[in-house]
Amino acid sequence: MKNNKKQPITVIPGKIRNGIQRLLKHSRDHYLCFLPAFTGALSALFLKRLFRGVFMGAEQADIVKNLPDNAIIVYTAKHKSRFKFLFAHTRYRQLMLPTPLVAFDCRIYCWQPVSRILRVCISQLDALFRQRSLLSPYRSDYYRRALVETKCGFLSLVEKKGFYRRFVKQRIDPLVYLIEMQKKIDHPIYLVPQLMFFSRNPLPAMPNFIDALFGTSQQPGALRKIFTLFRHPGKIFVELSQPLNLKRWLSQQSDTSAEQQAHRLRYQLMVQHDRHRQSITGPILKTNEELKESILTGDRMRIFIKKHAKARQEPINKIRKKADEYLDEISARYSPTIIRLLSYGLKWIFNSMFDGAVIDKAGLSRVKAMSQKGPLILIPCHKSHIDYLVLSYVLHNNNMPCPHIAAGKNLSFWPLGPIFRGGGAFFLRRTFRGAVLYSRVFSAYLYMLLEEGFNIELFIEGGRSRTGKLLMPKLGLISILLDAYRKEACDDMIFVPVYIGYDRIIEENAYIHEVEGGKKETETFSQVIKARRFLKKRYGKIYINFHEPISTRDLLDEMGTTLDQMPQKQVNVFVRNLGWRIINAIDRQTVVTPPGLVAAGILNIAKSRFSRQEIMEVVNTYLAFVTSQGAKLADTIIVNADAAMEYAIEHYLSRKLIEKAPGDKDIPEDRTEFMVSPAKRSLLEFYKNNCISYLVPAAYTALAILKKDAFQFNAYDLHKEYAFFQDFFKYEFAYDVELSSERYIRKTIKTFINDAMLMPHQTIPDSYQITSSGYRKLKWFAAFMKPYFESYRVVLQFYRANRKEITDAKEKLKKIQQLGTQMVKNKEIDLIESVSKINYSNGLKYFSTNGIKNHEDEARIAHYDGLIQQYLSFLSP
């Protein structure tokens, strides 16, 4: 009779068993969490084509390449995703980056070679037969061996039922495993967050029907993911966040269990993922009604409105209506659709008008990394109306959200006003004087922007520079932002000084018209129509540099205090110092361009006629100095300085800013002389001032040396004179208050010696002698100050000549402008560019703060006039 009793599971026919043992002879544990580097020809080809449209910038690859050679790299994704693992497995190998072959708690089925799937099945069956349990990559320590061997892995922080498995089923937490592994090995483990974006749009506050059905743009479902990948692959991009050194992180933890450390580590990594994502997409986009509700019904605003209504003895509903109207007047209508359309239009405009943009990619990467710590306060210099368009366009194209931009109310006209609002612009009045409720609503709006996590862009100069150099800081908006920070609107606030420069400015003619006393034209729709003519011209290159971001929290930590602990007077000092620090930071990012240096060379030659060779001699002297100071140079100068300067000279000739001087037609080209039309000098002055910030210390030092009126001097004797210039021109040029005049002088003298302008005395320490060529070059440097001395002299003459008190500032400037023009005609001053309304305004400010109010202060007027004439005598031809 046949025995129907089941045989034990361990009984296997001898031949089959021997075959299994031979197959597993060299390796008994195989897992589907491991995907070989080569998955097969067809699989590799398909995966390569699948991910080829996904963008990953070169700066992202550098994040991993800069890690130590002995590091074990584990890429982390916030949510479990085989798709993201397959991307890393495929693309990182193509980019020659550390490639993850093993993924924690992830089974890869479809892409495994058939032979490997067979090995996995057989090894699991063998374990089942031998040990009556399946193999675990944790228990067998397979993950450790794989990571040590391949130096790379992949891990998901959150997965469906992951919490249940770890806390209820008590399965091994991969982060606990990594922590225990790090404690036992010498190799540092780096956790590198990997983020994949299917859209740059911020999440809406209320998901729409498509989002509910197919997943959001930031966390798409399978169908939406596949549709985007095949229909719009260019929309998908990957970024890597800052690596976390697990070994260093553990050394900073207190003696807690590995489980507690894993909870803390998971939370920190998830926060980093979220902040990095927000630094690219921006915060959740609420409706205007939601934002208005949160601003006007907030505790602070409600209490203020109640008090304000009582103080003015007006119905509270009337005050609320005004506040609502003010908020409509101020607020942006941030729209991803308008931003996307603007990016298409701006791309076409910039390609039509400019020869490209030179962007500080390294600086931008630092800014992007810092944006994860708090909202950015982007502060560019302001040379053109297109500054805010340029910066938003650069950020948008480099996977960062467009900022909310503080714009003057004069730009809110139709039809550009609504478009600007859609692009993130919010509008403010030129003055808040007397508008108590408006001021409070505006402050509450800025508080809300910071609280929500929006980046903000503002112009610390208050308006566009009509002179080419930076204006002195206006600190009102900085004060409001710091007050919001003090009230805990955000954990940190990151100030980012930005330089935006141009080879040629679009508004140049309008600026010269205004500087010379003309009335500023109001922005209107008709001006927009007229602007079409700019599209027919070329304006050279755009330069964008980013200074090291300034953390408000770090600044206060260095001081060992908080804004709450400071008395108001100390807060005011902090605000002022921060404003000057930002201005200095922008100056240090200024790009020296060929048009700027050539304009300086042309204007500072103390002759009415000059040759090409003479221009180049002056230009090369300036170039040598700015290079020694570590100035940022235009790429054309770096490639071929002489060719770049020659091109700038030809450009000025073609635009008739300089012209060939009348003379014999048979004169050789190298001896041809040129001259500047008086009407064009102010325009050249604008471009000269674009690079003047690097040359001001040399100008002050040269003037101080010339005043000694001797071919030998001691460096110590220059300190008092240099300090006087810093004070005299404090409304014209910013300087670093933390650097002494002595340091500026010594640094400048060292460069003068290198250029053979000065020679150290052989026996007397700290003494120097002027060389024969040095005297001429000192005058070239000192000439930068001549227009300002002449402008200030005109102001002094106005005090003397004007016997009637003029209280209206505009009327006063108009009178000084007329006097300056007359003094040029009478040859009392030499330079037409000295007739500058802005210089006059700064001169009035300086003299009024130094005791000169009117003609009765003759002693002080005579003192300063004598000093100015003395300095001008050193600058005569």
Side-chain angles (χ1 to χ4, degrees), residues 751-786:
T751 307
F752 285 175
I753 292 171
N754 293 338
D755 197 27
M757 295 167 59
L758 302 176
M759 289 175 51
H761 196 280
Q762 293 180 353
T763 57
I764 305 175
D766 211 19
S767 290
Y768 306 91
Q769 295 173 328
I770 304 172
T771 64
S772 55
S773 64
Y775 184 77
R776 189 163 45 101
K777 291 182 178 181
L778 287 173
K779 283 198 167 189
W780 292 343
F781 283 105
F784 279 102
M785 295 299 109
K786 186 171 182 178

Side-chain angles (χ1 to χ4, degrees), residues 461 465-467 469-474 515 580 689 727-734 787-788 791-793 795-796 799 809 812-813 816 834 836-850 852:
E461 298 168 270
S465 169
R466 271 74 172 173
T467 62
K469 60 185 177 64
L470 285 180
L471 306 178
M472 296 302 100
K474 306 291 190 298
V515 166
W580 282 96
N689 283 341
D727 178 69
F728 193 63
F729 294 120
K730 63 185 177 183
Y731 298 114
E732 303 289 353
F733 307 104
Y788 302 98
S791 295
Y792 282 30
R793 189 177 175 218
V795 173
L796 291 173
Y799 280 124
K812 187 180 288 186
L813 285 174
I816 299 174
S834 302
S836 165
K837 185 168 65 175
I838 295 168
N839 291 0
Y840 296 153
S841 177
N842 292 334
L844 284 170
K845 202 180 301 182
Y846 176 80
F847 291 128
S848 65
T849 57
N850 282 271
I852 299 178

Side-chain angles (χ1 to χ4, degrees), residues 27 47 80 214 231 236 262 303 311 389 482 492 529 569 578:
S27 179
L47 289 173
K80 189 172 182 178
F214 299 107
R231 187 69 185 272
I236 307 174
I303 293 169
L389 300 177
L482 285 172
D492 198 0
I529 300 299
K569 190 174 182 180
L578 179 59

Side-chain angles (χ1 to χ4, degrees), residues 170-337:
Q170 294 187 332
R171 301 283 176 82
I172 296 175
D173 183 348
L175 286 181
V176 172
Y177 184 88
L178 280 178
I179 287 170
E180 296 288 4
M181 176 180 164
Q182 180 64 91
K183 292 176 180 178
K184 296 175 184 176
I185 65 173
D186 294 329
H187 297 288
I189 297 175
Y190 282 85
L191 299 169
V192 183
Q194 173 189 288
L195 295 92
M196 182 172 283
F197 297 84
F198 291 82
S199 171
R200 284 181 286 188
N201 292 342
L203 280 176
M206 292 292 293
N208 56 34
F209 176 74
I210 299 295
D211 291 341
L213 200 60
F214 299 107
T216 66
S217 59
Q218 293 188 20
Q219 193 61 33
L223 288 176
R224 189 166 188 168
K225 195 181 291 181
I226 292 170
F227 176 81
T228 307
L229 189 64
F230 285 99
R231 187 69 185 272
H232 304 291
K235 284 186 176 180
I236 307 174
F237 60 96
V238 169
E239 290 211 353
L240 300 178
S241 195
Q242 290 303 306
L244 184 147
N245 185 333
L246 185 56
K247 194 169 190 176
R248 185 182 304 160
W249 186 85
L250 286 172
S251 69
Q252 297 168 351
Q253 303 303 306
S254 57
D255 293 333
T256 56
S257 66
E259 288 76 13
Q260 289 175 311
Q261 290 173 342
H263 303 333
R264 199 175 300 142
L265 179 59
R266 178 174 276 103
Y267 175 78
Q268 183 171 328
L269 288 169
M270 287 174 64
V271 168
Q272 186 173 346
H273 272 269
D274 290 340
R275 286 181 173 173
H276 191 121
R277 183 169 291 278
Q278 182 171 312
S279 74
I280 290 170
T281 63
I284 292 174
L285 201 57
K286 298 179 180 178
T287 63
N288 192 54
E289 288 70 25
E290 285 180 277
L291 296 177
K292 186 180 287 189
E293 180 84 15
S294 66
I295 292 171
L296 296 180
T297 62
D299 290 340
R300 290 191 185 93
M301 202 66 208
R302 280 192 303 102
I303 293 169
F304 174 79
I305 287 175
K306 189 175 180 179
K307 289 182 178 178
H308 188 68
K310 186 177 179 180
R312 295 179 65 89
Q313 297 182 347
E314 293 183 12
I316 195 167
N317 287 345
K318 184 177 179 182
I319 301 299
R320 286 174 177 165
K321 183 182 178 184
K322 279 185 181 178
D324 183 75
E325 290 171 353
Y326 287 152
L327 201 52
D328 286 335
E329 176 188 323
I330 294 166
S331 59
R333 307 285 191 274
Y334 199 91
S335 167
T337 303

Side-chain angles (χ1 to χ4, degrees), residues 48 120-121 142 148 180 226 247 303 359 487 521 548 702 738 742 763 844 851 858:
K48 185 177 179 180
V120 172
C121 293
Y142 174 78
V148 170
E180 296 288 4
I226 292 170
K247 194 169 190 176
I303 293 169
I359 302 170
K487 294 173 181 174
E521 291 186 36
E548 193 73 35
E738 295 180 0
E742 180 182 1
T763 57
L844 284 170
E858 175 56 34

Side-chain angles (χ1 to χ4, degrees), residues 29-91:
D29 52 346
H30 297 276
Y31 302 93
L32 292 174
C33 63
F34 182 89
L35 186 63
F38 183 72
T39 58
L42 290 177
S43 295
L45 180 63
F46 180 82
L47 289 173
K48 185 177 179 180
R49 292 183 66 85
L50 182 70
F51 295 115
R52 66 179 179 178
V54 180
F55 177 77
M56 184 173 174
E59 68 277 5
Q60 302 302 317
D62 290 340
I63 291 173
V64 179
K65 289 178 180 178
N66 292 331
L67 295 179
D69 294 336
N70 67 334
I72 294 174
I73 297 169
V74 178
Y75 300 101
T76 67
K78 184 178 179 182
H79 299 281
K80 189 172 182 178
S81 172
R82 293 182 179 86
F83 184 83
K84 293 173 184 175
F85 168 71
L86 289 172
F87 168 83
H89 182 275
T90 305
R91 283 291 295 278

